[in-house]
Amino acid sequence: QVRLQESGPGLVKPSETLSLTCTVSGDAISSMTYYWGWIRQPPGKGLEWIGSVYYSGSTSYNPSLKNRVTISVDLSKNQLFLNLTSVTAADTAVYHCARPSGGTYYGYWGQGALVTVSP
Amino acid sequence: QSALTQPASVSGSPGQSITISCTGGSSDIGAYNYVSWYQQHPGKVPKILIYDVRHRSPGISSRFSASKSGNTASLTISGLQAEDEADYYCSSYTSAYTIVFGGGTKVTVL
């Protein structure tokens, strides 16, 4: 059973960097099969794809966030990471890590981590 | 990238059929057969319903069906049930090697 668990600070100050970790169990990021993703959802709003990372470190980012986002992996710890710099209140959201079931659709989601950007 | 366009809300009575549209462009929906649909109940994680335009995910009721024509994809829920009341999101792979979601549609069962 694939399980994903996000962790990190629930409160970040404006202009600082949001950093989250996703710990994966039941599958290996190094399995070379999938692009692991990060997706966020502001309270009461829709889903926004942030980006994805392959086991090799190859990444793809949402163009609207590309200048501020970095996604990476640590194969030895079976973890993926999200860094989002220069945050504002608009970055307040529940952040999910996810694994595709197939090529481009996400069948496995973490429960999500609520990150609030506030002074 | 711009979000795919979905109606904000759709409603129907139990037993009826409803259809949710998802409109993109020639660089996403129109370019690939990689359209997916998700269902999200309040406070829950999104659940994959449909992938690759029309393929139901394992365990998903046959009441859910989907299709695509040009730059527009559609999700149909037949025999609407109270448990179908939820938010629905489409998504598509894009020519920029990214994923884009729709804005979401709230389905209300009257």
Side-chain angles (χ1 to χ4, degrees):
Chain A
Q1 178 76 355
V2 180
R3 299 191 69 174
L4 303 95
Q5 180 66 59
E6 305 86 352
S7 60
L11 182 64
V12 180
K13 289 181 169 57
S15 80
E16 295 189 344
T17 296
L18 178 159
S19 296
L20 292 175
T21 298
C22 175
T23 301
V24 179
S25 59
D27 192 10
I29 296 174
S30 59
S31 67
M32 300 179 283
T33 308
Y34 303 110
Y35 271 84
W36 300 74
W38 284 96
I39 297 146
R40 71 180 182 178
Q41 185 170 31
K45 296 188 178 181
L47 302 171
E48 181 179 31
W49 184 80
I50 299 171
S52 61
V53 62
Y54 198 49
Y55 82 101
S56 63
S58 173
T59 54
S60 179
Y61 298 131
N62 186 324
S64 67
L65 298 170
K66 188 173 185 176
N67 292 336
R68 298 194 293 129
V69 68
T70 302
I71 297 174
S72 57
V73 294
D74 184 329
L75 300 182
S76 66
K77 295 182 178 179
N78 216 30
Q79 293 177 324
L80 54 154
F81 308 99
L82 171 68
N83 277 351
L84 184 66
T85 62
S86 304
V87 297
T88 69
D91 295 310
T92 294
V94 174
Y95 286 77
H96 295 275
C97 54
R99 197 211 85 175
S101 294
T104 63
Y105 57 98
Y106 295 102
Y108 300 95
W109 296 65
Q111 285 301 307
L114 173 62
V115 179
T116 300
V117 179
S118 180
Chain B
Q1 58 190 12
S2 299
L4 305 174
T5 300
Q6 297 182 233
S9 63
V10 174
S11 61
S13 300
Q16 287 186 331
S17 294
I18 61 170
T19 297
I20 302 168
S21 62
C22 172
T23 302
S26 57
S27 62
D28 40 65
I29 293 178
Y32 304 98
N33 287 326
Y34 293 140
V35 179
S36 308
W37 289 91
Y38 299 84
Q39 177 191 61
Q40 186 180 33
H41 287 105
K44 300 295 186 181
V45 168
K47 175 183 177 182
I48 182 69
L49 295 177
I50 302 284
Y51 64 93
D52 296 352
V53 175
R54 64 180 70 250
H55 299 278
R56 277 188 301 276
S57 186
I60 299 303
S61 170
S62 58
R63 298 187 299 104
F64 293 91
S65 62
S67 62
K68 187 190 89 166
S69 177
N71 298 336
T72 298
S74 299
L75 173 71
T76 297
I77 309 175
S78 306
L80 198 62
Q81 299 180 0
E83 66 203 49
D84 300 330
E85 188 160 292
D87 294 325
Y88 292 81
Y89 296 92
C90 59
S91 77
S92 175
Y93 183 68
T94 82
S95 58
Y97 311 106
T98 65
I99 302 290
V100 61
F101 284 99
T105 297
K106 181 177 181 60
V107 168
T108 301
V109 181
L110 301 172

